[in-house]
Amino acid sequence: RGAVANLTIAVDDALLREARLKAVAEGTSVNAVLRERLEEYVEERDRRREALAAILESARKSTARSGGRKWTREELYERGRAR
């Protein structure tokens, strides 16, 4: 995990009080909850990048072709409504 830094944030008193009560009920702390959420926040970007790369790779490998066919916006809209 590496070095640990302290972080000071401003939070509404009532919100912090409720967060502390919930954390205690869950057997944890507000500090642990915030640390976990920050980790999720950072990892979310990586997951999105990986998902996009997988989609693009799948599209690149696909053998499906349109045969040069181009659809109009209206055709695509109608196609979606038919489902």
Side-chain angles (χ1 to χ4, degrees):
R1 196 161 93 172
V4 177
N6 287 321
L7 171 67
T8 302
I9 62 171
V11 180
D12 180 76
D13 286 341
L15 176 63
L16 181 57
R17 198 169 26 257
E18 290 297 317
R20 283 182 173 143
L21 291 172
K22 184 173 181 176
V24 167
E26 294 174 351
T28 189
S29 66
V30 172
N31 190 58
V33 170
L34 290 175
R35 184 174 40 252
E36 182 179 308
R37 294 296 188 259
L38 280 172
E39 288 170 356
E40 290 171 358
Y41 176 69
V42 170
E43 291 169 0
E44 177 184 341
R45 179 187 61 215
D46 294 336
R47 286 191 303 268
R48 287 182 185 208
R49 285 182 181 163
E50 289 170 8
L52 177 58
I55 290 169
L56 293 175
E57 180 65 12
S58 179
R60 189 185 67 75
K61 289 180 176 180
S62 175
T63 59
R65 299 290 178 255
S66 69
R69 170 87 161 94
K70 305 269 191 226
W71 288 270
T72 66
R73 180 182 297 216
E74 291 76 22
E75 288 171 326
L76 292 173
Y77 176 75
E78 285 302 318
R79 205 171 152 201
R81 292 183 77 197
R83 291 182 185 173

